[in-house]
Amino acid sequence: QVHVVESGGGVVQPGGSLKLSCTASGNIFMMYDMGWYRQAPGKQRESVAAITGVGSTRYADAVRGRFTISRDNAKNTVNLQMNNLKPEDTAVYYCNANARSNWGTRDYWGQGTQVTVSS
């Protein structure tokens, strides 16, 4: 089995910064794309940013230029540096890891970490 754990959420004022971290562990044969999603109250979960195993990145239009995703393949970690945060960034942020284990290849999710942007 594969376990995904996020950390780094919290409360920040508009214009502030936060860094989210995520680590995948367990019986991982191969890690493919890793990424971050978010879900605000009353809204569907949406993709925020993703990164491939060779470092190619993609971002949602709403965060491009403010958020930066990075990963450490040796540690199966992915980070999300969030700058110039806005109230509309308030959401529960979920880490996603697409990995191959003894259970086959599938998406694994963390439990989520709350990010609140408020003055």
Side-chain angles (χ1 to χ4, degrees):
Q1 191 55 283
V2 177
H3 301 280
V4 177
V5 179
E6 307 105 334
S7 62
V11 179
V12 64
Q13 292 185 341
S17 298
L18 280 175
K19 183 178 180 179
L20 305 182
S21 296
C22 168
T23 299
S25 62
N27 197 14
I28 299 171
F29 296 162
M30 180 68 70
M31 183 66 72
Y32 300 109
D33 287 8
M34 301 184 80
W36 291 92
Y37 287 70
R38 67 186 181 186
Q39 187 167 18
K43 295 188 177 181
Q44 290 187 330
R45 189 174 297 190
E46 62 178 0
S47 175
V48 175
I51 185 167
T52 69
V54 294
S56 296
T57 59
R58 55 186 184 272
Y59 296 93
D61 289 343
V63 307
R64 187 175 292 113
R66 300 187 296 120
F67 291 11
T68 302
I69 190 170
S70 61
R71 67 187 281 173
D72 183 332
N73 289 336
K75 298 179 180 179
N76 287 326
T77 61
V78 61
N79 300 310
L80 186 68
Q81 177 65 46
M82 306 184 293
N83 297 329
N84 190 21
L85 283 160
K86 303 176 180 181
E88 52 263 42
D89 294 318
T90 296
V92 178
Y93 284 70
Y94 297 91
C95 178
N96 172 269
N98 185 259
R100 180 161 57 93
S101 71
N102 54 323
W103 295 89
T105 299
R106 53 159 286 188
D107 285 327
Y108 294 89
W109 294 89
Q111 79 288 351
T113 185
Q114 177 70 46
V115 171
T116 301
V117 184
S118 174
S119 55

